[in-house]
Coordinates of all heavy atoms in Angstrom, one line a residue:
M1 N 0.8 -1.2 0.0 CA 0.0 0.0 0.0 C 0.9 1.2 0.0 O 1.9 1.3 0.7 CB -0.9 0.0 1.2 CG -1.8 1.1 1.3 SD -3.2 0.7 2.4 CE -4.4 1.7 1.7
L2 N 0.5 2.3 -0.8 CA 1.3 3.5 -0.9 C 1.0 4.4 0.2 O -0.2 4.5 0.7 CB 1.0 4.2 -2.2 CG 1.3 3.4 -3.5 CD1 0.8 4.2 -4.7 CD2 2.8 3.3 -3.6
T3 N 2.0 5.1 0.6 CA 1.8 6.2 1.6 C 1.1 7.3 1.0 O 1.0 7.4 -0.3 CB 3.1 6.7 2.2 OG1 3.8 7.4 1.1 CG2 4.0 5.6 2.8
Q4 N 0.5 8.3 1.8 CA -0.2 9.4 1.3 C 0.7 10.2 0.4 O 0.3 10.7 -0.7 CB -0.8 10.3 2.4 CG -1.6 11.4 1.9 CD -2.2 12.2 3.0 OE1 -2.0 12.0 4.2 NE2 -3.0 13.2 2.6
K5 N 2.0 10.4 0.8 CA 2.9 11.2 0.0 C 3.2 10.6 -1.3 O 3.2 11.2 -2.4 CB 4.2 11.4 0.8 CG 5.2 12.2 0.1 CD 6.5 12.4 0.9 CE 7.5 13.2 0.2 NZ 8.7 13.4 1.0
A6 N 3.3 9.2 -1.3 CA 3.6 8.5 -2.6 C 2.3 8.6 -3.5 O 2.5 8.8 -4.7 CB 3.9 7.1 -2.3
Q7 N 1.1 8.6 -2.9 CA -0.1 8.7 -3.7 C -0.2 10.1 -4.4 O -0.5 10.2 -5.5 CB -1.3 8.5 -2.9 CG -1.5 7.0 -2.5 CD -2.6 6.8 -1.5 OE1 -3.3 7.8 -1.0 NE2 -2.9 5.6 -1.1
I8 N 0.2 11.1 -3.6 CA 0.2 12.5 -4.2 C 1.2 12.6 -5.3 O 0.9 13.1 -6.4 CB 0.5 13.5 -3.1 CG1 -0.7 13.6 -2.1 CG2 0.8 14.9 -3.7 CD1 -0.4 14.3 -0.8
Q9 N 2.4 12.1 -5.1 CA 3.4 12.1 -6.1 C 3.0 11.3 -7.4 O 3.2 11.8 -8.5 CB 4.8 11.6 -5.6 CG 5.4 12.6 -4.6 CD 6.6 12.0 -3.9 OE1 6.8 10.8 -3.9 NE2 7.5 12.9 -3.4
L10 N 2.4 10.2 -7.2 CA 1.9 9.4 -8.3 C 0.8 10.1 -9.0 O 0.8 10.2 -10.3 CB 1.4 8.0 -7.8 CG 0.9 7.1 -8.9 CD1 2.0 6.8 -9.9 CD2 0.4 5.8 -8.3
G11 N -0.1 10.8 -8.3 CA -1.1 11.6 -8.9 C -0.6 12.6 -9.8 O -1.1 12.9 -10.8
R12 N 0.5 13.3 -9.3 CA 1.1 14.3 -10.1 C 1.7 13.7 -11.4 O 1.6 14.3 -12.5 CB 2.2 15.0 -9.4 CG 1.8 16.0 -8.3 CD 2.9 16.7 -7.7 NE 2.4 17.8 -6.9 CZ 3.1 18.8 -6.5 NH1 4.4 18.9 -6.8 NH2 2.5 19.7 -5.7
L13 N 2.3 12.6 -11.3 CA 2.8 12.0 -12.5 C 1.7 11.6 -13.5 O 1.9 11.7 -14.7 CB 3.7 10.7 -12.1 CG 4.9 11.0 -11.4 CD1 5.6 9.7 -10.9 CD2 5.9 11.8 -12.3
V14 N 0.6 11.1 -13.0 CA -0.4 10.6 -13.8 C -1.3 11.7 -14.4 O -1.5 11.8 -15.6 CB -1.3 9.6 -13.1 CG1 -2.5 9.2 -13.9 CG2 -0.5 8.3 -12.7
R15 N -1.7 12.6 -13.5 CA -2.6 13.7 -13.9 C -1.9 14.9 -14.4 O -2.5 15.6 -15.2 CB -3.5 14.1 -12.8 CG -4.5 13.1 -12.3 CD -5.2 13.6 -11.1 NE -4.2 14.2 -10.3 CZ -4.3 14.7 -9.1 NH1 -5.5 14.6 -8.5 NH2 -3.4 15.2 -8.4
G16 N -0.8 15.2 -13.9 CA -0.1 16.5 -14.2 C 0.4 16.6 -15.6 O 0.8 15.6 -16.2
A17 N 0.2 17.7 -16.2 CA 0.7 17.9 -17.6 C 2.2 18.1 -17.6 O 2.8 18.5 -16.6 CB 0.0 19.2 -18.2
R18 N 2.8 17.8 -18.7 CA 4.2 18.1 -19.0 C 4.2 19.1 -20.1 O 3.2 19.2 -20.8 CB 4.9 16.8 -19.4 CG 4.9 15.8 -18.3 CD 5.7 14.5 -18.8 NE 5.1 14.0 -20.0 CZ 4.2 13.1 -20.1 NH1 3.6 12.6 -19.0 NH2 3.7 12.7 -21.3
P19 N 5.3 19.9 -20.2 CA 5.3 20.9 -21.3 C 4.9 20.4 -22.7 O 4.3 21.0 -23.5 CB 6.7 21.4 -21.3 CG 7.1 21.3 -19.8 CD 6.4 20.0 -19.4
G20 N 5.3 19.1 -23.0 CA 4.9 18.5 -24.2 C 3.5 18.2 -24.4 O 2.9 18.0 -25.4
D21 N 2.7 18.3 -23.2 CA 1.3 18.0 -23.2 C 0.5 19.3 -23.5 O -0.8 19.2 -23.6 CB 0.8 17.5 -21.9 CG 1.4 16.1 -21.6 OD1 1.8 15.4 -22.5 OD2 1.5 15.8 -20.4
I22 N 1.1 20.4 -23.6 CA 0.4 21.7 -23.9 C -0.1 21.6 -25.3 O 0.7 21.6 -26.3 CB 1.2 22.9 -23.7 CG1 1.7 23.0 -22.2 CG2 0.5 24.2 -24.1 CD1 2.7 24.0 -21.9
P23 N -1.4 21.6 -25.6 CA -1.9 21.6 -26.9 C -1.6 22.9 -27.7 O -1.5 23.9 -27.1 CB -3.4 21.4 -26.8 CG -3.7 21.8 -25.4 CD -2.5 21.7 -24.6
R24 N -1.3 22.7 -29.0 CA -1.0 23.9 -29.8 C -2.3 24.4 -30.5 O -3.3 23.7 -30.4 CB 0.0 23.5 -30.9 CG 1.3 23.1 -30.2 CD 2.0 24.2 -29.5 NE 3.0 23.8 -28.6 CZ 3.3 24.4 -27.5 NH1 2.7 25.4 -27.1 NH2 4.3 23.9 -26.7
G25 N -2.2 25.5 -31.2 CA -3.3 26.0 -31.9 C -4.3 26.7 -31.1 O -5.5 26.9 -31.5
G26 N -3.9 27.2 -29.9 CA -4.8 28.0 -29.1 C -5.8 27.2 -28.3 O -6.7 27.8 -27.7
V27 N -5.7 25.9 -28.2 CA -6.6 25.0 -27.5 C -6.4 25.1 -26.0 O -5.2 25.1 -25.6 CB -6.5 23.6 -28.0 CG1 -7.4 22.6 -27.3 CG2 -6.8 23.5 -29.5
I28 N -7.4 25.1 -25.3 CA -7.4 25.1 -23.8 C -8.0 23.8 -23.4 O -9.2 23.5 -23.6 CB -8.1 26.3 -23.2 CG1 -7.5 27.6 -23.7 CG2 -8.0 26.2 -21.6 CD1 -8.3 28.8 -23.3
P29 N -7.2 22.9 -22.7 CA -7.8 21.6 -22.2 C -9.0 21.8 -21.3 O -9.0 22.8 -20.5 CB -6.6 21.0 -21.5 CG -5.4 21.7 -21.9 CD -5.8 23.1 -22.3
K30 N -9.9 20.9 -21.3 CA -11.1 21.0 -20.5 C -10.7 21.0 -19.0 O -11.4 21.6 -18.2 CB -12.0 19.8 -20.8 CG -11.5 18.4 -20.4 CD -12.5 17.4 -20.8 CE -12.0 16.1 -20.3 NZ -11.7 15.1 -21.2
E31 N -9.6 20.4 -18.6 CA -9.1 20.4 -17.2 C -8.8 21.8 -16.8 O -9.0 22.2 -15.6 CB -7.9 19.5 -17.0 CG -8.2 18.0 -17.3 CD -8.0 17.6 -18.7 OE1 -7.8 18.4 -19.6 OE2 -8.1 16.4 -19.0
V32 N -8.2 22.6 -17.7 CA -7.9 24.0 -17.3 C -9.2 24.8 -17.1 O -9.3 25.6 -16.2 CB -7.0 24.6 -18.4 CG1 -6.7 26.1 -18.1 CG2 -5.6 23.9 -18.5
H33 N -10.1 24.6 -18.0 CA -11.4 25.3 -17.9 C -12.1 24.9 -16.6 O -12.6 25.7 -15.8 CB -12.4 24.9 -19.0 CG -12.1 25.7 -20.3 ND1 -12.4 27.1 -20.4 CD2 -11.6 25.3 -21.5 CE1 -12.1 27.5 -21.6 NE2 -11.6 26.5 -22.3
Y34 N -12.0 23.6 -16.3 CA -12.6 23.1 -15.0 C -12.0 23.8 -13.8 O -12.7 24.2 -12.9 CB -12.5 21.6 -14.9 CG -12.9 21.0 -13.6 CD1 -14.3 20.8 -13.4 CD2 -12.0 20.7 -12.6 CE1 -14.7 20.3 -12.1 CE2 -12.4 20.2 -11.4 CZ -13.8 20.0 -11.2 OH -14.2 19.5 -9.9
L35 N -10.7 23.8 -13.8 CA -10.0 24.4 -12.6 C -10.4 25.9 -12.5 O -10.6 26.4 -11.4 CB -8.5 24.3 -12.8 CG -7.9 22.9 -12.6 CD1 -6.4 22.9 -13.0 CD2 -8.0 22.5 -11.2
A36 N -10.4 26.6 -13.6 CA -10.8 28.1 -13.5 C -12.2 28.3 -13.0 O -12.4 29.1 -12.1 CB -10.6 28.7 -14.9
V37 N -13.1 27.5 -13.5 CA -14.5 27.6 -13.1 C -14.8 27.1 -11.7 O -15.4 27.8 -10.9 CB -15.5 26.9 -14.1 CG1 -16.9 26.9 -13.6 CG2 -15.4 27.6 -15.5
R38 N -14.3 25.9 -11.4 CA -14.5 25.3 -10.1 C -14.0 26.1 -8.9 O -14.6 26.2 -7.9 CB -13.9 23.9 -10.1 CG -13.9 23.1 -8.8 CD -15.2 22.4 -8.5 NE -15.1 21.5 -7.5 CZ -15.2 21.8 -6.2 NH1 -15.4 23.0 -5.8 NH2 -15.2 20.8 -5.3
H39 N -12.8 26.7 -9.2 CA -12.1 27.4 -8.1 C -12.2 28.9 -8.2 O -11.7 29.6 -7.3 CB -10.7 27.0 -8.0 CG -10.5 25.5 -7.7 ND1 -10.7 24.9 -6.5 CD2 -10.1 24.5 -8.5 CE1 -10.5 23.6 -6.5 NE2 -10.1 23.3 -7.7
G40 N -12.8 29.4 -9.3 CA -12.9 30.8 -9.5 C -11.5 31.5 -9.8 O -11.3 32.6 -9.5
W41 N -10.6 30.7 -10.4 CA -9.2 31.1 -10.7 C -9.2 31.8 -12.0 O -10.0 31.6 -12.9 CB -8.3 30.0 -10.7 CG -8.1 29.3 -9.4 CD1 -8.3 29.8 -8.1 CD2 -7.5 28.0 -9.2 NE1 -8.0 28.8 -7.2 CE2 -7.5 27.7 -7.8 CE3 -7.1 27.0 -10.1 CZ2 -7.0 26.6 -7.3 CZ3 -6.6 25.8 -9.5 CH2 -6.5 25.6 -8.1
S42 N -8.2 32.7 -12.2 CA -7.9 33.3 -13.5 C -7.3 32.2 -14.4 O -6.8 31.1 -13.9 CB -6.9 34.4 -13.3 OG -5.6 33.9 -12.9
L43 N -7.3 32.4 -15.7 CA -6.8 31.4 -16.6 C -5.3 31.2 -16.3 O -4.8 30.0 -16.3 CB -7.0 31.7 -18.0 CG -8.3 31.2 -18.6 CD1 -8.5 31.7 -20.1 CD2 -8.4 29.7 -18.6
P44 N -4.5 32.2 -16.1 CA -3.1 31.9 -15.8 C -2.9 31.0 -14.5 O -2.1 30.1 -14.5 CB -2.5 33.3 -15.5 CG -3.3 34.2 -16.2 CD -4.7 33.6 -16.2
R45 N -3.7 31.3 -13.5 CA -3.6 30.4 -12.3 C -4.0 29.0 -12.6 O -3.4 28.0 -12.2 CB -4.5 31.0 -11.2 CG -4.7 30.0 -10.0 CD -4.0 30.4 -8.8 NE -4.0 29.3 -7.8 CZ -4.6 29.4 -6.6 NH1 -5.3 30.5 -6.3 NH2 -4.5 28.4 -5.7
A46 N -5.1 28.8 -13.4 CA -5.6 27.5 -13.7 C -4.5 26.8 -14.5 O -4.2 25.6 -14.3 CB -6.9 27.6 -14.5
W47 N -3.9 27.4 -15.5 CA -2.8 26.8 -16.3 C -1.7 26.5 -15.4 O -1.1 25.4 -15.5 CB -2.4 27.8 -17.4 CG -3.1 27.6 -18.7 CD1 -4.0 28.5 -19.2 CD2 -3.0 26.6 -19.6 NE1 -4.4 28.1 -20.4 CE2 -3.8 26.9 -20.7 CE3 -2.2 25.4 -19.7 CZ2 -3.9 26.1 -21.8 CZ3 -2.3 24.6 -20.8 CH2 -3.2 24.9 -21.9
R48 N -1.3 27.4 -14.5 CA -0.1 27.2 -13.6 C -0.3 25.9 -12.8 O 0.5 25.1 -12.6 CB 0.2 28.4 -12.8 CG 1.4 28.2 -11.9 CD 1.7 29.5 -11.1 NE 0.6 30.0 -10.3 CZ 0.2 29.5 -9.1 NH1 0.8 28.4 -8.7 NH2 -0.8 30.0 -8.5
E49 N -1.5 25.8 -12.2 CA -1.9 24.6 -11.4 C -1.9 23.4 -12.3 O -1.4 22.3 -11.9 CB -3.2 24.8 -10.7 CG -3.3 26.0 -9.7 CD -2.6 25.7 -8.4 OE1 -2.3 24.5 -8.1 OE2 -2.4 26.7 -7.7
Y50 N -2.5 23.5 -13.5 CA -2.5 22.3 -14.4 C -1.1 21.8 -14.7 O -0.9 20.6 -14.9 CB -3.3 22.7 -15.6 CG -3.3 21.7 -16.8 CD1 -4.1 20.6 -16.7 CD2 -2.5 21.9 -17.9 CE1 -4.1 19.7 -17.7 CE2 -2.5 21.0 -18.9 CZ -3.4 19.9 -18.9 OH -3.4 19.0 -19.9
L51 N -0.2 22.8 -14.9 CA 1.2 22.4 -15.2 C 2.1 22.1 -14.0 O 3.3 21.9 -14.1 CB 1.8 23.6 -16.0 CG 1.2 23.9 -17.4 CD1 1.7 25.2 -17.9 CD2 1.4 22.7 -18.3
W52 N 1.5 22.1 -12.8 CA 2.2 21.8 -11.6 C 3.3 22.8 -11.3 O 4.4 22.3 -10.9 CB 2.6 20.4 -11.5 CG 1.5 19.4 -11.4 CD1 0.9 18.8 -12.5 CD2 0.7 19.0 -10.3 NE1 -0.2 18.0 -12.0 CE2 -0.3 18.1 -10.7 CE3 0.9 19.3 -8.9 CZ2 -1.2 17.5 -9.8 CZ3 0.0 18.7 -8.0 CH2 -1.0 17.8 -8.5
L53 N 3.1 24.0 -11.6 CA 4.1 25.0 -11.3 C 3.7 25.9 -10.1 O 2.6 26.2 -9.9 CB 4.3 26.0 -12.5 CG 4.8 25.4 -13.8 CD1 4.6 26.4 -15.0 CD2 6.2 24.9 -13.7
S54 N 4.7 26.2 -9.3 CA 4.4 27.1 -8.2 C 4.5 28.6 -8.6 O 5.1 28.9 -9.7 CB 5.4 26.8 -7.0 OG 6.7 27.3 -7.4
K55 N 4.0 29.5 -7.9 CA 4.1 30.9 -8.1 C 5.6 31.3 -8.1 O 6.1 32.1 -8.9 CB 3.4 31.7 -7.1 CG 1.9 31.9 -7.4 CD 1.3 32.9 -6.5 CE 0.5 32.1 -5.4 NZ -0.3 32.9 -4.6
A56 N 6.3 30.7 -7.2 CA 7.8 31.0 -7.1 C 8.5 30.6 -8.3 O 9.4 31.3 -8.8 CB 8.3 30.3 -5.9
E57 N 8.2 29.4 -8.9 CA 8.8 29.0 -10.1 C 8.6 29.9 -11.3 O 9.5 30.3 -12.0 CB 8.4 27.6 -10.5 CG 8.9 26.5 -9.6 CD 8.2 25.1 -9.9 OE1 6.9 25.1 -9.9 OE2 8.9 24.2 -10.1
V58 N 7.3 30.4 -11.4 CA 7.0 31.3 -12.5 C 7.6 32.6 -12.3 O 8.2 33.2 -13.2 CB 5.5 31.4 -12.7 CG1 5.1 32.3 -13.9 CG2 4.9 30.0 -13.0
A59 N 7.6 33.1 -11.1 CA 8.2 34.4 -10.7 C 9.7 34.4 -11.0 O 10.3 35.3 -11.5 CB 7.9 34.7 -9.3
K60 N 10.3 33.2 -10.7 CA 11.8 33.1 -11.0 C 12.1 33.2 -12.5 O 13.0 33.8 -12.9 CB 12.3 31.8 -10.4 CG 13.8 31.6 -10.6 CD 14.3 30.3 -9.9 CE 15.7 30.1 -10.1 NZ 16.2 28.9 -9.5
R61 N 11.2 32.5 -13.3 CA 11.4 32.6 -14.7 C 11.2 34.1 -15.2 O 11.9 34.5 -16.2 CB 10.3 31.8 -15.4 CG 10.4 30.3 -15.3 CD 9.3 29.6 -16.0 NE 9.3 28.2 -15.7 CZ 8.5 27.3 -16.3 NH1 7.5 27.7 -17.1 NH2 8.6 26.0 -16.0
A62 N 10.3 34.8 -14.6 CA 10.1 36.2 -15.0 C 11.1 37.2 -14.4 O 11.1 38.4 -14.7 CB 8.7 36.6 -14.5
K63 N 11.9 36.7 -13.4 CA 12.9 37.5 -12.7 C 12.2 38.6 -11.9 O 12.6 39.8 -11.9 CB 13.9 38.1 -13.7 CG 14.7 36.9 -14.3 CD 15.8 37.5 -15.2 CE 16.5 36.2 -15.8 NZ 17.2 36.5 -17.0
I64 N 11.1 38.3 -11.3 CA 10.3 39.2 -10.5 C 10.0 38.5 -9.1 O 10.2 37.3 -9.0 CB 9.0 39.7 -11.1 CG1 8.1 38.5 -11.4 CG2 9.2 40.5 -12.3 CD1 6.7 38.9 -12.0
N65 N 9.6 39.2 -8.1 CA 9.3 38.6 -6.9 C 7.9 37.9 -6.9 O 7.1 38.2 -7.8 CB 9.5 39.5 -5.7 CG 8.5 40.6 -5.6 OD1 7.3 40.4 -5.8 ND2 9.0 41.8 -5.2
V66 N 7.7 37.0 -6.0 CA 6.4 36.2 -6.0 C 5.2 37.1 -5.8 O 4.2 36.9 -6.4 CB 6.5 35.1 -4.9 CG1 5.2 34.4 -4.8 CG2 7.6 34.2 -5.2
D67 N 5.3 38.1 -5.0 CA 4.2 39.0 -4.7 C 3.8 39.8 -6.0 O 2.6 40.0 -6.3 CB 4.5 40.0 -3.6 CG 4.6 39.4 -2.3 OD1 4.0 38.3 -2.0 OD2 5.3 40.0 -1.4
T68 N 4.8 40.2 -6.8 CA 4.5 40.9 -8.0 C 3.8 39.9 -9.0 O 2.8 40.3 -9.6 CB 5.8 41.4 -8.7 OG1 6.4 42.3 -7.8 CG2 5.5 42.1 -10.0
Y69 N 4.3 38.7 -9.1 CA 3.7 37.7 -10.0 C 2.2 37.4 -9.5 O 1.3 37.3 -10.3 CB 4.4 36.4 -10.1 CG 3.7 35.4 -11.0 CD1 3.7 35.7 -12.4 CD2 2.9 34.4 -10.5 CE1 2.9 34.8 -13.2 CE2 2.2 33.6 -11.3 CZ 2.2 33.8 -12.7 OH 1.4 33.0 -13.5
H70 N 2.1 37.3 -8.2 CA 0.7 37.0 -7.7 C -0.3 38.1 -8.1 O -1.4 37.9 -8.4 CB 0.8 36.9 -6.1 CG -0.6 36.7 -5.5 ND1 -1.3 35.5 -5.6 CD2 -1.3 37.6 -4.8 CE1 -2.4 35.7 -4.9 NE2 -2.5 37.0 -4.5
A71 N 0.2 39.4 -8.0 CA -0.6 40.5 -8.3 C -1.0 40.4 -9.8 O -2.2 40.7 -10.2 CB 0.1 41.8 -8.0
L72 N -0.1 40.1 -10.7 CA -0.4 40.0 -12.1 C -1.4 38.9 -12.4 O -2.3 39.0 -13.2 CB 0.9 39.7 -12.9 CG 1.9 40.8 -13.0 CD1 3.2 40.3 -13.6 CD2 1.4 42.0 -13.7
E73 N -1.2 37.7 -11.7 CA -2.1 36.6 -11.9 C -3.5 36.9 -11.4 O -4.4 36.5 -12.0 CB -1.4 35.4 -11.2 CG -2.1 34.1 -11.5 CD -1.4 32.9 -10.8 OE1 -1.7 32.7 -9.6 OE2 -0.6 32.3 -11.5
S74 N -3.5 37.5 -10.2 CA -4.8 37.8 -9.6 C -5.6 38.9 -10.3 O -6.8 38.9 -10.3 CB -4.6 38.3 -8.2 OG -4.0 37.2 -7.4
N75 N -4.9 39.8 -10.9 CA -5.6 40.9 -11.7 C -5.4 40.8 -13.2 O -5.3 41.8 -13.9 CB -5.0 42.3 -11.2 CG -5.2 42.5 -9.7 OD1 -6.3 42.4 -9.2 ND2 -4.1 42.7 -9.0
F76 N -5.4 39.6 -13.6 CA -5.1 39.3 -15.0 C -6.1 40.0 -16.0 O -5.6 40.5 -17.1 CB -5.2 37.8 -15.3 CG -4.7 37.4 -16.7 CD1 -3.3 37.5 -17.0 CD2 -5.6 37.0 -17.6 CE1 -2.9 37.2 -18.2 CE2 -5.1 36.6 -18.9 CZ -3.8 36.7 -19.2
A77 N -7.3 40.1 -15.6 CA -8.3 40.8 -16.5 C -7.9 42.2 -16.8 O -8.3 42.8 -17.9 CB -9.7 40.7 -16.0
S78 N -7.2 42.9 -15.9 CA -6.9 44.3 -16.1 C -5.5 44.6 -16.6 O -5.1 45.8 -16.7 CB -7.2 45.1 -14.8 OG -6.4 44.6 -13.8
V79 N -4.7 43.6 -16.8 CA -3.3 43.8 -17.3 C -3.3 44.1 -18.8 O -4.2 43.7 -19.5 CB -2.3 42.7 -16.9 CG1 -2.2 42.5 -15.4 CG2 -2.6 41.4 -17.6
S80 N -2.2 44.7 -19.3 CA -2.1 45.0 -20.7 C -1.9 43.8 -21.5 O -1.5 42.7 -21.0 CB -0.9 46.0 -20.9 OG 0.3 45.3 -20.6
K81 N -2.1 43.9 -22.8 CA -1.9 42.8 -23.8 C -0.5 42.3 -23.7 O -0.2 41.1 -23.8 CB -2.3 43.3 -25.2 CG -2.2 42.2 -26.2 CD -2.6 42.7 -27.6 CE -2.4 41.6 -28.6 NZ -2.9 42.0 -29.9
E82 N 0.5 43.2 -23.6 CA 1.9 42.9 -23.5 C 2.2 42.0 -22.3 O 2.9 41.0 -22.4 CB 2.8 44.1 -23.5 CG 2.8 44.9 -24.8 CD 1.6 45.8 -25.0 OE1 0.8 46.1 -24.0 OE2 1.3 46.2 -26.1
I83 N 1.6 42.3 -21.2 CA 1.8 41.5 -20.0 C 1.2 40.2 -20.1 O 1.7 39.1 -19.7 CB 1.3 42.2 -18.7 CG1 2.0 43.6 -18.5 CG2 1.3 41.3 -17.5 CD1 3.5 43.4 -18.1
K84 N 0.0 40.1 -20.8 CA -0.7 38.8 -21.0 C 0.2 37.9 -21.9 O 0.4 36.7 -21.6 CB -2.0 39.0 -21.6 CG -3.0 39.6 -20.7 CD -4.4 39.8 -21.3 CE -5.3 40.4 -20.3 NZ -6.7 40.6 -20.8
I85 N 0.8 38.5 -22.9 CA 1.7 37.7 -23.8 C 2.9 37.3 -23.0 O 3.4 36.1 -23.2 CB 2.1 38.6 -25.0 CG1 0.9 38.8 -25.9 CG2 3.2 37.9 -25.8 CD1 1.0 39.8 -27.0
F86 N 3.5 38.1 -22.2 CA 4.6 37.8 -21.3 C 4.3 36.6 -20.4 O 5.1 35.7 -20.3 CB 5.1 39.0 -20.5 CG 6.2 38.8 -19.6 CD1 7.5 38.4 -20.1 CD2 6.1 38.9 -18.3 CE1 8.5 38.2 -19.3 CE2 7.2 38.7 -17.4 CZ 8.4 38.3 -17.9
I87 N 3.1 36.7 -19.7 CA 2.7 35.6 -18.8 C 2.5 34.3 -19.6 O 3.0 33.2 -19.2 CB 1.5 36.0 -18.0 CG1 1.8 37.1 -17.0 CG2 0.9 34.8 -17.3 CD1 0.6 37.7 -16.3
A88 N 1.9 34.4 -20.8 CA 1.8 33.2 -21.6 C 3.1 32.6 -21.9 O 3.3 31.3 -21.8 CB 1.0 33.5 -22.9
S89 N 4.1 33.4 -22.3 CA 5.4 32.9 -22.6 C 6.1 32.2 -21.4 O 6.8 31.2 -21.6 CB 6.3 34.0 -23.2 OG 6.7 34.9 -22.2
L90 N 5.9 32.8 -20.2 CA 6.4 32.1 -19.0 C 5.9 30.8 -18.8 O 6.6 29.9 -18.3 CB 6.1 33.0 -17.8 CG 6.8 34.4 -17.7 CD1 6.2 35.2 -16.5 CD2 8.3 34.3 -17.7
L91 N 4.6 30.6 -19.1 CA 4.0 29.3 -18.9 C 4.1 28.3 -20.1 O 3.7 27.2 -20.1 CB 2.5 29.5 -18.6 CG 2.2 30.3 -17.3 CD1 0.7 30.6 -17.3 CD2 2.6 29.5 -16.1
G92 N 4.8 28.8 -21.2 CA 5.0 28.0 -22.4 C 3.7 27.9 -23.2 O 3.5 26.9 -24.0
L93 N 2.9 28.9 -23.2 CA 1.6 28.9 -23.9 C 1.6 29.9 -25.0 O 2.4 30.8 -25.0 CB 0.5 29.3 -22.9 CG 0.4 28.4 -21.6 CD1 -0.7 29.1 -20.7 CD2 0.0 27.0 -21.9
S94 N 0.6 29.8 -25.8 CA 0.3 30.9 -26.8 C -0.6 31.9 -26.1 O -1.3 31.6 -25.2 CB -0.3 30.3 -28.1 OG -1.6 29.9 -27.8
A95 N -0.6 33.1 -26.6 CA -1.4 34.2 -26.0 C -2.9 33.8 -26.1 O -3.6 34.1 -25.2 CB -1.2 35.5 -26.8
E96 N -3.3 33.1 -27.2 CA -4.7 32.7 -27.3 C -5.1 31.8 -26.2 O -6.3 31.7 -25.8 CB -4.9 32.0 -28.7 CG -4.7 32.9 -29.9 CD -3.2 33.0 -30.3 OE1 -2.4 32.1 -29.9 OE2 -2.9 34.0 -30.9
Q97 N -4.2 31.0 -25.6 CA -4.5 30.1 -24.6 C -4.8 30.7 -23.2 O -5.3 30.1 -22.3 CB -3.5 29.0 -24.4 CG -3.5 28.0 -25.6 CD -2.3 27.1 -25.6 OE1 -1.1 27.5 -25.6 NE2 -2.6 25.8 -25.7
L98 N -4.5 32.0 -23.2 CA -4.8 32.8 -22.0 C -6.0 33.7 -22.2 O -6.4 34.5 -21.3 CB -3.7 33.6 -21.5 CG -2.6 32.8 -20.8 CD1 -1.5 33.7 -20.3 CD2 -3.1 32.0 -19.6
G99 N -6.7 33.6 -23.3 CA -7.9 34.3 -23.6 C -7.7 35.7 -24.0 O -7.1 36.6 -23.8

């Protein structure tokens, strides 16, 4: 029988997306939509969770602090188009996949 920690790690391996699993052509997987609707998350947050990335990992990629990234992710509807494109690139997505 697996420990709870092992079950969580196995779940990540089975359910979690890998960068190669990101669909091309602007497609958003149903799991990402589900996360956004179910939890009331922005699309960047839903994608980040789907890709098993932490805020710290994405902030490090952007060379900004975690609080700044959190503010961008939380207020995504009001950020500029350039910032949306930048966030998409950090997550390995096309701009269309962030709406």
Side-chain angles (χ1 to χ4, degrees):
M1 180 157 209
L2 295 174
T3 66
Q4 183 178 5
K5 183 177 180 180
Q7 289 173 357
I8 290 169
Q9 290 172 338
L10 180 61
R12 284 186 172 197
L13 291 173
V14 172
R15 292 176 317 188
R18 296 179 306 269
D21 294 338
I22 298 171
R24 297 295 166 213
V27 176
I28 302 172
K30 66 180 187 247
E31 294 87 356
V32 173
H33 280 291
Y34 173 81
L35 289 170
V37 172
R38 172 83 165 85
H39 299 287
W41 293 341
S42 65
L43 271 178
R45 167 111 190 246
W47 270 107
R48 183 176 56 75
E49 297 285 347
Y50 174 75
L51 295 169
W52 292 95
L53 296 170
S54 69
K55 279 188 256 188
E57 289 171 306
V58 180
K60 184 177 178 181
R61 291 178 185 184
K63 298 179 181 164
I64 58 177
N65 68 43
V66 175
D67 292 335
T68 302
Y69 179 74
H70 175 74
L72 292 173
E73 189 178 84
S74 298
N75 301 306
F76 187 71
S78 63
V79 300
S80 69
K81 182 178 180 179
E82 291 78 17
I83 297 294
K84 290 180 180 183
I85 292 169
F86 178 64
I87 292 173
S89 71
L90 294 173
L91 297 171
L93 307 171
S94 67
E96 295 82 24
Q97 289 171 306
L98 285 183

